[in-house]
Amino acid sequence: MERKSSLEYNEKNHKYNPRHVAIIMDGNGRWANKKGKMRIFGHKEGFKAVKEAIRFSIINDLKILTLYAFSSENWNRPLFEIKSLMELFYYALESEIKNLKKYNIRLKVIGDITYFNKKLQKSIRNAEQITSNNNGLILNIAANYGGRWDIIQSIKKIICKVQKGILNINNIQEKTFSEYLSTSKLLPVDLVIRTGGEKRISNFLLWQIAYSELYFTDVLWPDFNHYVFQQAIDAFISRERRFGGCKKNEKQ
Ligand code: IPE
Ligand code: IPE
Ligand code: MG
């Protein structure tokens, strides 16, 4: 029997699919080392897994895919690895722009990109601008991103508005705050997947994942494929999200 997509499961079980999935793509270095190769080889293979994750997201009608590509702490790595990662990011943007257009994907980079060299910044802005009117999958790439940075940059913008008298301090609600985060205007994160076996958040979206479902897998990122993605989606669908409420149909 043909495997049903998560969308069909959804209709059958009256549960909803994740609309926004965020992935901590971890394990590239270990994947390469296990093969006796340099870590950068794992990052290059990881790029293939990124394309597979995007393909899966489109087929399964996800609205938003947020990928953690480079954290604000990843500057702690050897210079050679950082430079290679930046080159790979640039190459990926330049070579994939045609596919972003073809598949109607809107690209957005979240994180402080001013740390990157001018060439890479230009390539990011160009890809964002060219795809800005696309209305298919929203692809967020978190690059030089930190959840704590995101909260602080949001606070700074809010303080600025308060100082100018545009925003009243008494009107600052949770919703207001969310609007200043780099993920503003996006649907909430339903599901966070982390590959590579570690069970931590590593300064990824902090505020945004207060009620997200978390899914950890030992699969190393270059081995990630549509089967693993589907397993994560199935796990999500089988869970009951209560948001602080009670279990459904429970005797009171
Ligand atoms: C994730 O893989 C990619 C980035 C953080 C850029 P790692 O490079 O962290 O791989 P491991 O965790 O060392 O195996
Ligand atoms: C998290 O992976 C960051 C990205 C996947 C971009 P790390 O490999 O940097 O996380 P830690 O150091 O194991 O927490
Ligand atoms: Mg890692």
Side-chain angles (χ1 to χ4, degrees), residues 61-126:
D61 201 29
L62 299 187
K63 304 294 172 228
I64 308 166
L65 179 67
T66 299
L67 300 176
Y68 203 10
F70 192 86
S71 78
S72 48
E73 285 71 38
N74 286 147
W75 297 106
N76 292 327
R77 297 191 176 200
L79 196 59
F80 172 74
E81 183 171 349
I82 294 172
K83 280 182 86 172
S84 306
L85 277 167
M86 296 302 146
E87 276 164 26
L88 183 61
F89 191 19
Y90 178 77
Y91 162 78
L93 282 167
E94 295 292 311
S95 63
E96 290 304 315
I97 191 79
K98 56 182 185 309
N99 281 329
L100 294 175
K101 282 197 263 184
K102 183 172 166 194
Y103 293 104
N104 195 21
I105 298 167
R106 191 163 99 213
L107 180 96
K108 173 107 181 67
V109 174
I110 56 170
D112 187 355
I113 67 163
T114 61
Y115 280 47
F116 298 150
N117 68 41
K118 291 275 177 292
K119 195 170 98 170
L120 181 53
Q121 286 186 45
K122 200 172 155 209
S123 178
I124 291 170
R125 293 212 176 90
N126 181 46

Side-chain angles (χ1 to χ4, degrees), residues 44-234:
K44 284 184 184 153
E45 277 300 304
F47 176 46
K48 293 183 191 162
V50 167
K51 293 208 268 187
E52 173 121 8
I54 295 170
R55 213 173 295 130
F56 179 93
S57 302
I58 294 172
I59 292 169
N60 286 276
D61 201 29
L62 299 187
K63 304 294 172 228
I64 308 166
L65 179 67
T66 299
L67 300 176
Y68 203 10
F70 192 86
S71 78
S72 48
E73 285 71 38
N74 286 147
W75 297 106
N76 292 327
R77 297 191 176 200
L79 196 59
F80 172 74
E81 183 171 349
I82 294 172
K83 280 182 86 172
S84 306
L85 277 167
M86 296 302 146
E87 276 164 26
L88 183 61
F89 191 19
Y90 178 77
Y91 162 78
L93 282 167
E94 295 292 311
S95 63
E96 290 304 315
I97 191 79
K98 56 182 185 309
N99 281 329
L100 294 175
K101 282 197 263 184
K102 183 172 166 194
Y103 293 104
N104 195 21
I105 298 167
R106 191 163 99 213
L107 180 96
K108 173 107 181 67
V109 174
I110 56 170
D112 187 355
I113 67 163
T114 61
Y115 280 47
F116 298 150
N117 68 41
K118 291 275 177 292
K119 195 170 98 170
L120 181 53
Q121 286 186 45
K122 200 172 155 209
S123 178
I124 291 170
R125 293 212 176 90
N126 181 46
E128 285 181 332
Q129 204 263 322
I130 288 177
T131 63
S132 61
N133 290 325
N134 291 353
N135 58 7
L137 178 75
I138 297 176
L139 176 64
N140 277 323
I141 304 289
N144 191 24
Y145 179 88
R148 290 174 177 166
W149 164 84
D150 205 358
I151 290 168
I152 288 180
Q153 67 82 27
S154 174
I155 290 172
K156 282 182 182 165
K157 283 187 203 152
I158 289 172
I159 292 175
C160 202
K161 288 220 166 159
V162 171
Q163 280 176 338
K164 285 182 182 158
I166 303 168
L167 185 64
N168 183 328
I169 201 158
N170 298 314
N171 292 339
I172 300 173
Q173 316 284 348
E174 289 183 10
K175 194 172 170 295
T176 329
F177 189 81
S178 301
E179 280 161 13
Y180 289 87
L181 290 166
S182 59
T183 48
S184 70
K185 299 190 189 82
L186 296 180
L187 293 163
V189 179
D190 295 309
L191 171 65
V192 177
I193 300 171
R194 180 169 187 147
T195 61
E198 311 293 358
K199 288 166 187 70
R200 54 178 171 254
I201 296 300
S202 301
N203 199 16
F204 194 26
L205 310 160
L206 295 178
W207 171 279
Q208 295 92 332
I209 61 168
Y211 262 106
S212 307
E213 294 296 324
L214 309 178
Y215 182 86
F216 298 100
T217 169
D218 289 337
V219 169
L220 302 171
W221 179 250
D223 290 330
F224 187 85
N225 56 30
H226 61 279
Y227 293 109
V228 187
F229 207 154
Q230 187 64 57
Q231 279 169 354
I233 301 284
D234 290 347

